[in-house]
Amino acid sequence: MTTAPALSPADQVAACGVLVKALPSDRIPMVGFFWRAPGAPVDDPPVWPEVRRAMLVFLRDQGVEAVERGWDAIGLFGVHRLAGAVRADACGAIILLYPRTVVAISANEFVTERAGVRQTHRDVPNRAESVPLWNFRSY
């Protein structure tokens, strides 16, 4: 039996981009996360279209670098298989990105920034319970 050749980092990023683009553009595709515009009142509508766009911009601008440093679909786009983003210990770096920008990527950390405040995200500690966002199914 032969194994399929591994995808290049660029091909992995392209595949993730296709899957993110296939997510609904008009509603958050999982439970547990209510993205709002920075400083917006609680009754403002979610900003899922902007979150989705931020994911695609990240893939375009920094996705290959992240994959080359060892980040995979769970590390980037993981959510808890049953609870979605309610379980932050199962969330990937990009799920928690908006409205910040990535300023540094290493093999085990993402550093993000918003308004001069930096935050570090490390790899998903609960990987066994995570699935990529596009595989999340509400039961």
Side-chain angles (χ1 to χ4, degrees):
M1 173 191 252
T2 61
T3 58
L7 292 176
S8 71
D11 288 342
Q12 290 177 55
V13 169
C16 286
V18 167
L19 293 164
V20 170
K21 287 177 185 175
L23 294 170
S25 61
D26 60 340
R27 63 183 168 77
I28 298 171
M30 68 177 161
V31 298
F33 220 102
F34 300 96
W35 284 285
R36 305 259 181 237
V42 176
D43 58 348
D44 268 13
V47 291
W48 170 245
E50 288 84 356
V51 172
R52 188 170 167 266
R53 188 173 332 138
M55 291 176 176
L56 293 168
V57 167
F58 168 80
L59 286 170
R60 181 194 70 209
D61 296 348
Q62 296 168 298
V64 170
E65 177 185 359
V67 171
E68 287 173 344
R69 293 179 188 261
W71 290 80
D72 62 8
I74 296 286
L76 295 171
F77 295 99
V79 295
H80 190 273
R81 63 185 179 83
L82 298 176
V86 170
R87 293 277 306 270
D89 65 327
C91 286
I94 302 308
I95 297 300
L96 305 172
L97 176 64
Y98 182 83
R100 296 173 289 278
T101 57
V102 175
V103 295
I105 303 170
S106 72
N108 56 5
E109 292 182 341
F110 266 59
V111 179
T112 61
E113 184 175 53
R114 175 175 170 253
V117 177
R118 291 189 173 203
Q119 181 177 16
T120 299
H121 177 86
R122 291 176 179 82
D123 194 21
V124 178
N126 195 10
R127 291 178 77 79
E129 293 295 316
S130 297
V131 296
L133 173 61
W134 47 81
N135 288 346
F136 177 80
R137 298 292 180 263
S138 181
Y139 298 100

PDB file of all heavy atoms in Angstrom, residues 66-97:
ATOM      1  N   ALA A  66       2.594  29.856   9.138  1.00  0.00           N
ATOM      2  CA  ALA A  66       2.078  29.074  10.270  1.00  0.00           C
ATOM      3  C   ALA A  66       2.229  27.575  10.021  1.00  0.00           C
ATOM      4  O   ALA A  66       2.695  26.832  10.893  1.00  0.00           O
ATOM      5  CB  ALA A  66       0.618  29.429  10.540  1.00  0.00           C
ATOM      6  N   VAL A  67       1.870  27.120   8.838  1.00  0.00           N
ATOM      7  CA  VAL A  67       1.989  25.688   8.510  1.00  0.00           C
ATOM      8  C   VAL A  67       3.459  25.271   8.510  1.00  0.00           C
ATOM      9  O   VAL A  67       3.805  24.202   9.027  1.00  0.00           O
ATOM     10  CB  VAL A  67       1.301  25.378   7.161  1.00  0.00           C
ATOM     11  CG1 VAL A  67       1.598  23.951   6.711  1.00  0.00           C
ATOM     12  CG2 VAL A  67      -0.203  25.594   7.275  1.00  0.00           C
ATOM     13  N   GLU A  68       4.320  26.095   7.948  1.00  0.00           N
ATOM     14  CA  GLU A  68       5.754  25.770   7.941  1.00  0.00           C
ATOM     15  C   GLU A  68       6.318  25.652   9.360  1.00  0.00           C
ATOM     16  O   GLU A  68       7.265  24.920   9.590  1.00  0.00           O
ATOM     17  CB  GLU A  68       6.539  26.820   7.153  1.00  0.00           C
ATOM     18  CG  GLU A  68       6.323  26.710   5.658  1.00  0.00           C
ATOM     19  CD  GLU A  68       6.959  27.842   4.873  1.00  0.00           C
ATOM     20  OE1 GLU A  68       7.320  28.894   5.471  1.00  0.00           O
ATOM     21  OE2 GLU A  68       7.089  27.691   3.640  1.00  0.00           O
ATOM     22  N   ARG A  69       5.712  26.351  10.303  1.00  0.00           N
ATOM     23  CA  ARG A  69       6.167  26.283  11.698  1.00  0.00           C
ATOM     24  C   ARG A  69       5.464  25.170  12.475  1.00  0.00           C
ATOM     25  O   ARG A  69       5.668  25.044  13.677  1.00  0.00           O
ATOM     26  CB  ARG A  69       5.982  27.634  12.373  1.00  0.00           C
ATOM     27  CG  ARG A  69       6.917  28.670  11.773  1.00  0.00           C
ATOM     28  CD  ARG A  69       6.720  30.027  12.417  1.00  0.00           C
ATOM     29  NE  ARG A  69       7.485  31.025  11.700  1.00  0.00           N
ATOM     30  CZ  ARG A  69       8.662  31.474  12.074  1.00  0.00           C
ATOM     31  NH1 ARG A  69       9.243  30.992  13.148  1.00  0.00           N
ATOM     32  NH2 ARG A  69       9.271  32.394  11.376  1.00  0.00           N
ATOM     33  N   GLY A  70       4.615  24.398  11.782  1.00  0.00           N
ATOM     34  CA  GLY A  70       4.020  23.223  12.412  1.00  0.00           C
ATOM     35  C   GLY A  70       2.564  23.333  12.826  1.00  0.00           C
ATOM     36  O   GLY A  70       2.006  22.391  13.387  1.00  0.00           O
ATOM     37  N   TRP A  71       1.919  24.445  12.553  1.00  0.00           N
ATOM     38  CA  TRP A  71       0.510  24.599  12.923  1.00  0.00           C
ATOM     39  C   TRP A  71      -0.363  23.835  11.942  1.00  0.00           C
ATOM     40  O   TRP A  71      -0.136  23.859  10.732  1.00  0.00           O
ATOM     41  CB  TRP A  71       0.144  26.077  12.961  1.00  0.00           C
ATOM     42  CG  TRP A  71       0.786  26.775  14.119  1.00  0.00           C
ATOM     43  CD1 TRP A  71       2.075  27.226  14.182  1.00  0.00           C
ATOM     44  CD2 TRP A  71       0.204  27.038  15.382  1.00  0.00           C
ATOM     45  NE1 TRP A  71       2.323  27.776  15.412  1.00  0.00           N
ATOM     46  CE2 TRP A  71       1.182  27.676  16.171  1.00  0.00           C
ATOM     47  CE3 TRP A  71      -1.049  26.810  15.925  1.00  0.00           C
ATOM     48  CZ2 TRP A  71       0.940  28.086  17.482  1.00  0.00           C
ATOM     49  CZ3 TRP A  71      -1.300  27.231  17.236  1.00  0.00           C
ATOM     50  CH2 TRP A  71      -0.311  27.849  17.992  1.00  0.00           C
ATOM     51  N   ASP A  72      -1.378  23.152  12.459  1.00  0.00           N
ATOM     52  CA  ASP A  72      -2.287  22.375  11.620  1.00  0.00           C
ATOM     53  C   ASP A  72      -3.719  22.888  11.785  1.00  0.00           C
ATOM     54  O   ASP A  72      -3.953  23.896  12.457  1.00  0.00           O
ATOM     55  CB  ASP A  72      -2.185  20.878  11.951  1.00  0.00           C
ATOM     56  CG  ASP A  72      -2.577  20.554  13.386  1.00  0.00           C
ATOM     57  OD1 ASP A  72      -3.080  21.437  14.112  1.00  0.00           O
ATOM     58  OD2 ASP A  72      -2.401  19.387  13.782  1.00  0.00           O
ATOM     59  N   ALA A  73      -4.685  22.188  11.175  1.00  0.00           N
ATOM     60  CA  ALA A  73      -6.081  22.639  11.195  1.00  0.00           C
ATOM     61  C   ALA A  73      -6.635  22.731  12.615  1.00  0.00           C
ATOM     62  O   ALA A  73      -7.373  23.670  12.926  1.00  0.00           O
ATOM     63  CB  ALA A  73      -6.941  21.718  10.342  1.00  0.00           C
ATOM     64  N   ILE A  74      -6.288  21.792  13.490  1.00  0.00           N
ATOM     65  CA  ILE A  74      -6.768  21.847  14.880  1.00  0.00           C
ATOM     66  C   ILE A  74      -6.126  23.032  15.605  1.00  0.00           C
ATOM     67  O   ILE A  74      -6.803  23.795  16.288  1.00  0.00           O
ATOM     68  CB  ILE A  74      -6.457  20.537  15.640  1.00  0.00           C
ATOM     69  CG1 ILE A  74      -7.199  19.366  15.018  1.00  0.00           C
ATOM     70  CG2 ILE A  74      -6.778  20.677  17.128  1.00  0.00           C
ATOM     71  CD1 ILE A  74      -8.672  19.306  15.270  1.00  0.00           C
ATOM     72  N   GLY A  75      -4.830  23.201  15.457  1.00  0.00           N
ATOM     73  CA  GLY A  75      -4.136  24.295  16.120  1.00  0.00           C
ATOM     74  C   GLY A  75      -4.608  25.667  15.671  1.00  0.00           C
ATOM     75  O   GLY A  75      -4.577  26.626  16.434  1.00  0.00           O
ATOM     76  N   LEU A  76      -5.052  25.766  14.434  1.00  0.00           N
ATOM     77  CA  LEU A  76      -5.518  27.041  13.895  1.00  0.00           C
ATOM     78  C   LEU A  76      -7.026  27.225  14.019  1.00  0.00           C
ATOM     79  O   LEU A  76      -7.502  28.284  14.431  1.00  0.00           O
ATOM     80  CB  LEU A  76      -5.117  27.163  12.419  1.00  0.00           C
ATOM     81  CG  LEU A  76      -3.620  27.233  12.137  1.00  0.00           C
ATOM     82  CD1 LEU A  76      -3.366  27.136  10.638  1.00  0.00           C
ATOM     83  CD2 LEU A  76      -3.018  28.493  12.716  1.00  0.00           C
ATOM     84  N   PHE A  77      -7.793  26.216  13.641  1.00  0.00           N
ATOM     85  CA  PHE A  77      -9.243  26.348  13.520  1.00  0.00           C
ATOM     86  C   PHE A  77     -10.025  25.405  14.424  1.00  0.00           C
ATOM     87  O   PHE A  77     -11.215  25.190  14.217  1.00  0.00           O
ATOM     88  CB  PHE A  77      -9.665  26.103  12.063  1.00  0.00           C
ATOM     89  CG  PHE A  77      -9.140  27.128  11.113  1.00  0.00           C
ATOM     90  CD1 PHE A  77      -8.013  26.879  10.362  1.00  0.00           C
ATOM     91  CD2 PHE A  77      -9.758  28.358  10.980  1.00  0.00           C
ATOM     92  CE1 PHE A  77      -7.512  27.830   9.482  1.00  0.00           C
ATOM     93  CE2 PHE A  77      -9.264  29.316  10.105  1.00  0.00           C
ATOM     94  CZ  PHE A  77      -8.141  29.050   9.353  1.00  0.00           C
ATOM     95  N   GLY A  78      -9.378  24.823  15.423  1.00  0.00           N
ATOM     96  CA  GLY A  78     -10.047  23.854  16.276  1.00  0.00           C
ATOM     97  C   GLY A  78     -11.119  24.463  17.167  1.00  0.00           C
ATOM     98  O   GLY A  78     -10.998  25.584  17.647  1.00  0.00           O
ATOM     99  N   VAL A  79     -12.190  23.691  17.378  1.00  0.00           N
ATOM    100  CA  VAL A  79     -13.229  23.992  18.366  1.00  0.00           C
ATOM    101  C   VAL A  79     -13.583  22.671  19.036  1.00  0.00           C
ATOM    102  O   VAL A  79     -13.337  21.592  18.496  1.00  0.00           O
ATOM    103  CB  VAL A  79     -14.494  24.628  17.737  1.00  0.00           C
ATOM    104  CG1 VAL A  79     -14.178  25.990  17.137  1.00  0.00           C
ATOM    105  CG2 VAL A  79     -15.138  23.726  16.707  1.00  0.00           C
ATOM    106  N   HIS A  80     -14.177  22.738  20.232  1.00  0.00           N
ATOM    107  CA  HIS A  80     -14.559  21.511  20.931  1.00  0.00           C
ATOM    108  C   HIS A  80     -15.607  20.769  20.105  1.00  0.00           C
ATOM    109  O   HIS A  80     -16.535  21.382  19.579  1.00  0.00           O
ATOM    110  CB  HIS A  80     -15.106  21.839  22.322  1.00  0.00           C
ATOM    111  CG  HIS A  80     -15.295  20.626  23.161  1.00  0.00           C
ATOM    112  ND1 HIS A  80     -16.460  19.889  23.114  1.00  0.00           N
ATOM    113  CD2 HIS A  80     -14.468  20.005  24.031  1.00  0.00           C
ATOM    114  CE1 HIS A  80     -16.341  18.865  23.956  1.00  0.00           C
ATOM    115  NE2 HIS A  80     -15.133  18.919  24.525  1.00  0.00           N
ATOM    116  N   ARG A  81     -15.455  19.463  19.990  1.00  0.00           N
ATOM    117  CA  ARG A  81     -16.313  18.673  19.093  1.00  0.00           C
ATOM    118  C   ARG A  81     -17.791  18.723  19.465  1.00  0.00           C
ATOM    119  O   ARG A  81     -18.645  18.552  18.600  1.00  0.00           O
ATOM    120  CB  ARG A  81     -15.824  17.234  19.031  1.00  0.00           C
ATOM    121  CG  ARG A  81     -15.887  16.496  20.325  1.00  0.00           C
ATOM    122  CD  ARG A  81     -15.268  15.095  20.212  1.00  0.00           C
ATOM    123  NE  ARG A  81     -15.317  14.425  21.477  1.00  0.00           N
ATOM    124  CZ  ARG A  81     -16.374  13.768  21.943  1.00  0.00           C
ATOM    125  NH1 ARG A  81     -17.466  13.693  21.214  1.00  0.00           N
ATOM    126  NH2 ARG A  81     -16.344  13.189  23.119  1.00  0.00           N
ATOM    127  N   LEU A  82     -18.123  18.981  20.731  1.00  0.00           N
ATOM    128  CA  LEU A  82     -19.519  19.068  21.154  1.00  0.00           C
ATOM    129  C   LEU A  82     -19.927  20.468  21.603  1.00  0.00           C
ATOM    130  O   LEU A  82     -21.058  20.877  21.392  1.00  0.00           O
ATOM    131  CB  LEU A  82     -19.799  18.076  22.300  1.00  0.00           C
ATOM    132  CG  LEU A  82     -19.596  16.606  21.971  1.00  0.00           C
ATOM    133  CD1 LEU A  82     -19.814  15.751  23.216  1.00  0.00           C
ATOM    134  CD2 LEU A  82     -20.527  16.163  20.853  1.00  0.00           C
ATOM    135  N   ALA A  83     -19.019  21.177  22.237  1.00  0.00           N
ATOM    136  CA  ALA A  83     -19.358  22.470  22.831  1.00  0.00           C
ATOM    137  C   ALA A  83     -18.917  23.667  21.998  1.00  0.00           C
ATOM    138  O   ALA A  83     -19.113  24.807  22.413  1.00  0.00           O
ATOM    139  CB  ALA A  83     -18.735  22.562  24.229  1.00  0.00           C
ATOM    140  N   GLY A  84     -18.336  23.444  20.837  1.00  0.00           N
ATOM    141  CA  GLY A  84     -17.889  24.563  20.009  1.00  0.00           C
ATOM    142  C   GLY A  84     -16.857  25.402  20.736  1.00  0.00           C
ATOM    143  O   GLY A  84     -15.950  24.881  21.374  1.00  0.00           O
ATOM    144  N   ALA A  85     -17.027  26.717  20.684  1.00  0.00           N
ATOM    145  CA  ALA A  85     -16.064  27.626  21.293  1.00  0.00           C
ATOM    146  C   ALA A  85     -16.312  27.862  22.775  1.00  0.00           C
ATOM    147  O   ALA A  85     -15.580  28.614  23.404  1.00  0.00           O
ATOM    148  CB  ALA A  85     -16.065  28.951  20.542  1.00  0.00           C
ATOM    149  N   VAL A  86     -17.327  27.208  23.348  1.00  0.00           N
ATOM    150  CA  VAL A  86     -17.560  27.329  24.781  1.00  0.00           C
ATOM    151  C   VAL A  86     -16.334  26.839  25.541  1.00  0.00           C
ATOM    152  O   VAL A  86     -15.970  27.374  26.576  1.00  0.00           O
ATOM    153  CB  VAL A  86     -18.821  26.537  25.215  1.00  0.00           C
ATOM    154  CG1 VAL A  86     -18.932  26.454  26.727  1.00  0.00           C
ATOM    155  CG2 VAL A  86     -20.061  27.177  24.618  1.00  0.00           C
ATOM    156  N   ARG A  87     -15.685  25.818  25.012  1.00  0.00           N
ATOM    157  CA  ARG A  87     -14.495  25.250  25.647  1.00  0.00           C
ATOM    158  C   ARG A  87     -13.255  25.875  25.029  1.00  0.00           C
ATOM    159  O   ARG A  87     -12.731  25.396  24.019  1.00  0.00           O
ATOM    160  CB  ARG A  87     -14.473  23.724  25.459  1.00  0.00           C
ATOM    161  CG  ARG A  87     -15.560  22.971  26.175  1.00  0.00           C
ATOM    162  CD  ARG A  87     -15.192  22.717  27.636  1.00  0.00           C
ATOM    163  NE  ARG A  87     -13.918  22.062  27.788  1.00  0.00           N
ATOM    164  CZ  ARG A  87     -13.744  20.743  27.820  1.00  0.00           C
ATOM    165  NH1 ARG A  87     -14.767  19.935  27.723  1.00  0.00           N
ATOM    166  NH2 ARG A  87     -12.538  20.240  27.972  1.00  0.00           N
ATOM    167  N   ALA A  88     -12.760  26.934  25.635  1.00  0.00           N
ATOM    168  CA  ALA A  88     -11.591  27.636  25.093  1.00  0.00           C
ATOM    169  C   ALA A  88     -10.359  26.739  25.051  1.00  0.00           C
ATOM    170  O   ALA A  88      -9.468  26.948  24.230  1.00  0.00           O
ATOM    171  CB  ALA A  88     -11.305  28.883  25.914  1.00  0.00           C
ATOM    172  N   ASP A  89     -10.315  25.698  25.902  1.00  0.00           N
ATOM    173  CA  ASP A  89      -9.155  24.801  25.901  1.00  0.00           C
ATOM    174  C   ASP A  89      -9.110  23.923  24.655  1.00  0.00           C
ATOM    175  O   ASP A  89      -8.136  23.220  24.431  1.00  0.00           O
ATOM    176  CB  ASP A  89      -9.142  23.928  27.157  1.00  0.00           C
ATOM    177  CG  ASP A  89     -10.322  22.968  27.240  1.00  0.00           C
ATOM    178  OD1 ASP A  89     -11.422  23.322  26.769  1.00  0.00           O
ATOM    179  OD2 ASP A  89     -10.142  21.868  27.793  1.00  0.00           O
ATOM    180  N   ALA A  90     -10.141  23.964  23.842  1.00  0.00           N
ATOM    181  CA  ALA A  90     -10.176  23.199  22.605  1.00  0.00           C
ATOM    182  C   ALA A  90     -10.174  24.098  21.374  1.00  0.00           C
ATOM    183  O   ALA A  90     -10.357  23.627  20.260  1.00  0.00           O
ATOM    184  CB  ALA A  90     -11.409  22.287  22.592  1.00  0.00           C
ATOM    185  N   CYS A  91      -9.973  25.408  21.567  1.00  0.00           N
ATOM    186  CA  CYS A  91     -10.035  26.358  20.452  1.00  0.00           C
ATOM    187  C   CYS A  91      -8.660  26.641  19.863  1.00  0.00           C
ATOM    188  O   CYS A  91      -7.685  26.837  20.577  1.00  0.00           O
ATOM    189  CB  CYS A  91     -10.647  27.679  20.911  1.00  0.00           C
ATOM    190  SG  CYS A  91     -12.415  27.568  21.167  1.00  0.00           S
ATOM    191  N   GLY A  92      -8.619  26.690  18.542  1.00  0.00           N
ATOM    192  CA  GLY A  92      -7.397  27.031  17.832  1.00  0.00           C
ATOM    193  C   GLY A  92      -7.137  28.527  17.839  1.00  0.00           C
ATOM    194  O   GLY A  92      -7.998  29.338  18.176  1.00  0.00           O
ATOM    195  N   ALA A  93      -5.944  28.889  17.435  1.00  0.00           N
ATOM    196  CA  ALA A  93      -5.491  30.282  17.476  1.00  0.00           C
ATOM    197  C   ALA A  93      -6.357  31.214  16.635  1.00  0.00           C
ATOM    198  O   ALA A  93      -6.645  32.340  17.051  1.00  0.00           O
ATOM    199  CB  ALA A  93      -4.038  30.365  17.013  1.00  0.00           C
ATOM    200  N   ILE A  94      -6.799  30.773  15.483  1.00  0.00           N
ATOM    201  CA  ILE A  94      -7.547  31.659  14.598  1.00  0.00           C
ATOM    202  C   ILE A  94      -8.990  31.823  15.063  1.00  0.00           C
ATOM    203  O   ILE A  94      -9.609  32.857  14.822  1.00  0.00           O
ATOM    204  CB  ILE A  94      -7.469  31.159  13.141  1.00  0.00           C
ATOM    205  CG1 ILE A  94      -6.010  31.081  12.712  1.00  0.00           C
ATOM    206  CG2 ILE A  94      -8.256  32.041  12.187  1.00  0.00           C
ATOM    207  CD1 ILE A  94      -5.210  32.339  12.945  1.00  0.00           C
ATOM    208  N   ILE A  95      -9.528  30.849  15.768  1.00  0.00           N
ATOM    209  CA  ILE A  95     -10.873  30.977  16.331  1.00  0.00           C
ATOM    210  C   ILE A  95     -10.908  32.147  17.306  1.00  0.00           C
ATOM    211  O   ILE A  95     -11.896  32.852  17.432  1.00  0.00           O
ATOM    212  CB  ILE A  95     -11.288  29.664  17.033  1.00  0.00           C
ATOM    213  CG1 ILE A  95     -11.365  28.519  16.021  1.00  0.00           C
ATOM    214  CG2 ILE A  95     -12.602  29.826  17.793  1.00  0.00           C
ATOM    215  CD1 ILE A  95     -12.353  28.733  14.889  1.00  0.00           C
ATOM    216  N   LEU A  96      -9.797  32.376  18.000  1.00  0.00           N
ATOM    217  CA  LEU A  96      -9.728  33.425  19.008  1.00  0.00           C
ATOM    218  C   LEU A  96      -9.072  34.710  18.493  1.00  0.00           C
ATOM    219  O   LEU A  96      -8.820  35.627  19.262  1.00  0.00           O
ATOM    220  CB  LEU A  96      -8.954  32.894  20.223  1.00  0.00           C
ATOM    221  CG  LEU A  96      -9.520  31.596  20.824  1.00  0.00           C
ATOM    222  CD1 LEU A  96      -8.577  31.053  21.883  1.00  0.00           C
ATOM    223  CD2 LEU A  96     -10.910  31.804  21.366  1.00  0.00           C
ATOM    224  N   LEU A  97      -8.809  34.789  17.211  1.00  0.00           N
ATOM    225  CA  LEU A  97      -8.051  35.904  16.640  1.00  0.00           C
ATOM    226  C   LEU A  97      -8.808  37.233  16.621  1.00  0.00           C
ATOM    227  O   LEU A  97      -8.297  38.244  17.066  1.00  0.00           O
ATOM    228  CB  LEU A  97      -7.598  35.553  15.222  1.00  0.00           C
ATOM    229  CG  LEU A  97      -6.874  36.637  14.434  1.00  0.00           C
ATOM    230  CD1 LEU A  97      -5.553  36.984  15.101  1.00  0.00           C
ATOM    231  CD2 LEU A  97      -6.644  36.180  13.001  1.00  0.00           C
TER     232      LEU A  97
END
